[in-house]
């Protein structure tokens, strides 16, 4: 039975009142075309200092870059690394298949682009036991290698980029709307119905919304810091954030009373800049025609955003070098505009096949 606010959480193996050893954990990870990252991601799991038993379940999509062969080699070398086929290759289906193929009382979601610090499972399980929460998580610590990836990482970790949410920039420990990845009590996760396979992006937020509706607690612990490898090209980044914006808009449309005002800032910004620029062009026409060029006032919006962009770049990126700062000048508007345009199309239901937008 799900825990409701004000009620005592059911003991989990390893809880102080359970009298049992530490609970076994199941790491679940959807994988598709991750040959460059999968070995490091799996190695971060086998290197955990958690003393309880564990298993690793990879949901393998139809990869074309040799990922499947790498996973087969890892499974042959370590029987704790197992896999299940994920024919559609999408994230929510992969997560559900991996969860259903495991049985341990704690489920730890892992992303193939992430690497867990060695104390992650230990701290996460302790937090579950201490708080009685259904799901705990922490900070997505984006780390780039190339100047472009470093610029993306700086946007992720800056209040100028993704709104300054705790799971991107850190904050105080406590109840949260959502968290990065997630470490779940299996019984609460199953009671909520697992991940919604009709939601291709933002499925973590949607699941946490259902858990909160059931009276469960989602808990943020900044000590859970996960290294994340950002997209390495502008095209990949644009696809990722266009899809993310589309699905955030779709979820905002489905749940109109459960959305923060910050979700609407990027689409309003995009609309203001575009409309202001168009009005400014008409203002130029007015000036050429020797009429009062009052429409030039529309240029205030794009000029304001340009000033914001320069200020953010000088403040956040320039200390990391000129090359990274120049990339930041491209990355920040790419994220803002792709997310904002996607959100507008999603909330207005203007996309004919939103299921095609997976962010890959």
């Amino acid at each position: 039975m799900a825990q409701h606010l004000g009620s005592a959480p059911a003991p989990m193996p390893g809880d102080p009142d359970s009298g049992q050893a530490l609970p076994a954990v199941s790491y679940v990870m959807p994988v598709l075309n991750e040959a460059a990252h999968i070995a490091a991601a799996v190695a971060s799991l086998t290197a955990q200092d958690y003393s309880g038993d564990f298993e690793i379940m990879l949901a393998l999509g139809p990869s074309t870059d040799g990922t499947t062969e790498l996973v087969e080699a890892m499974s042959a070398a370590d029987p704790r690394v197992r896999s299940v086929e994920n024919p559609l290759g999408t994230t929510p289906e992969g997560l559900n298949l991996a969860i259903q193929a495991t049985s341990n009382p704690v489920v730890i979601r892992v992303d193939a682009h992430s690497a867990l610090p060695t104390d992650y499972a230990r701290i996460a399980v302790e937090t579950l036991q201490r708080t009685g929460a259904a799901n705990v998580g922490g900070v997505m610590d984006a780390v780039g290698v190339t100047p472009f990836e470093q610029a993306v990482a700086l946007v992720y970790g800056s209040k100028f980029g993704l709104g300054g949410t705790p799971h991107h920039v850190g904050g105080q420990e406590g109840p949260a709307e959502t968290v990065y990845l997630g470490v779940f009590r299996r019984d609460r996760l199953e009671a909520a119905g697992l991940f919604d396979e009709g939601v291709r992006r933002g499925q973590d937020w949607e699941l946490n919304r259902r858990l909160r509706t059931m009276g469960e607690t989602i808990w943020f612990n900044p000590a859970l810091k996960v290294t994340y490898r950002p997209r390495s090209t502008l095209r990949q980044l644009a696809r990722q954030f266009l899809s993310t914006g589309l699905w955030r808009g779709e979820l905002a449309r489905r749940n109109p009373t459960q959305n923060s005002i910050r979700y609407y800032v990027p689409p309003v910004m995009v609309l203001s800049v575009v409309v202001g620029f168009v009005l400014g062009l008409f203002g130029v026409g007015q000036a050429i025609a020797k009429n009062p060029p009052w429409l030039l006032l529309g240029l205030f919006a794009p000029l304001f955003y340009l000033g914001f962009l320069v200020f953010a770049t000088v403040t956040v990126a320039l200390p990391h070098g000129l090359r990274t700062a120049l990339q930041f000048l491209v990355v920040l508007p790419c994220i803002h505009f792709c997310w904002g345009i996607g959100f507008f199309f999603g909330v207005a239901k203007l996309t004919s096949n939103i299921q095609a937008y997976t962010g890959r």
Side-chain angles (χ1 to χ4, degrees):
M1 178 179 296
Q3 171 206 358
H4 292 274
L5 295 177
S7 64
M12 181 178 64
D15 281 350
D17 298 329
S18 71
Q20 300 180 41
L22 285 172
V25 302
S26 298
Y27 300 101
V28 297
M29 184 194 311
V31 180
L32 177 67
N33 290 327
E34 296 291 356
H37 302 284
I38 187 62
V42 171
S44 77
L45 307 183
T46 58
Q48 292 292 300
D49 64 12
Y50 185 67
S51 58
D53 292 335
F54 72 91
E55 62 182 337
I56 300 170
M57 184 62 64
L58 310 180
L60 283 179
S63 297
T64 58
D65 67 345
T67 297
T68 300
E69 291 75 14
L70 284 173
V71 170
E72 290 173 349
M74 286 187 287
S75 297
D78 188 341
R80 295 171 302 185
V81 181
R82 299 187 289 135
S83 64
V84 61
E85 186 178 357
N86 177 19
L88 294 179
T90 59
T91 297
E93 283 90 350
L95 286 168
N96 286 347
L97 286 167
I99 293 166
Q100 291 162 350
T102 58
S103 59
N104 290 334
V106 175
V107 176
I108 300 180
R109 177 182 174 179
V110 187
D111 188 279
H113 272 250
S114 65
L116 305 186
T118 56
D119 58 2
Y120 184 85
R122 174 168 53 83
I123 294 175
V125 171
E126 181 277 327
T127 305
L128 282 177
Q129 295 169 342
R130 171 168 52 87
T131 64
N135 179 22
V136 304
V139 178
M140 184 180 75
D141 183 25
V143 177
V145 177
T146 67
F148 179 84
E149 293 171 352
Q150 291 169 0
V152 177
L154 288 171
V155 173
Y156 270 65
S158 167
K159 292 183 179 181
F160 296 114
L162 300 179
T165 53
H167 63 277
H168 285 300
V169 301
Q172 294 293 320
E173 180 178 3
E177 178 183 291
T178 191
V179 291
Y180 180 54
L181 297 179
V183 179
F184 301 85
R185 293 177 181 249
R186 180 181 291 272
D187 57 347
R188 317 283 173 79
L189 179 59
E190 291 177 342
L194 305 185
F195 290 89
D196 187 337
E197 296 183 2
V199 178
R200 300 300 191 213
R201 301 283 295 178
Q203 60 276 148
D204 48 356
W205 181 90
E206 195 281 330
L207 172 59
N208 288 322
R209 180 195 64 80
R210 279 185 281 127
L211 285 167
R212 288 185 287 107
T213 300
M214 292 166 55
E216 302 288 358
T217 299
I218 311 303
W219 193 267
F220 171 75
N221 186 346
L224 296 169
K225 184 174 289 189
V226 181
T227 300
Y228 173 81
R229 303 299 182 188
R231 299 297 194 270
S232 57
T233 69
L234 188 64
R235 180 178 180 182
Q236 292 173 344
L237 186 71
R239 289 174 60 89
Q240 177 189 11
F241 277 92
L242 179 64
S243 298
T244 301
L246 277 166
W247 277 105
R248 175 55 64 193
E250 171 71 10
L251 293 173
R253 185 182 59 79
R254 294 184 190 182
N255 307 281
T257 64
Q258 300 184 33
N259 298 285
S260 169
I261 189 67
R262 64 185 175 80
Y263 295 141
Y264 296 91
V265 173
V268 169
M269 178 276 298
V270 170
L271 186 62
S272 298
V273 169
V274 172
V275 171
F277 182 74
V278 172
L279 290 176
L281 290 179
F282 279 106
V284 172
Q286 288 177 321
I288 292 174
K290 298 184 179 181
N291 292 320
W294 60 272
L295 287 178
L296 284 174
L297 292 173
L299 292 177
F300 174 80
L303 289 175
F304 177 84
Y305 182 76
L306 181 62
F308 163 83
L309 179 59
V310 172
F311 177 78
T313 301
V314 171
T315 303
V316 175
L318 192 58
H320 297 268
L322 181 59
R323 291 181 63 190
T324 299
L326 292 174
Q327 296 283 11
F328 190 93
L329 278 171
V330 176
V331 165
L332 186 59
C334 172
I335 288 177
H336 284 164
F337 277 81
C338 288
W339 202 101
I341 292 170
F343 185 94
F344 177 79
F345 274 77
V347 77
K349 205 176 181 179
L350 297 177
T351 305
S352 59
N353 182 21
I354 195 171
Q355 296 295 328
Y357 290 87
T358 63
R360 295 185 177 275

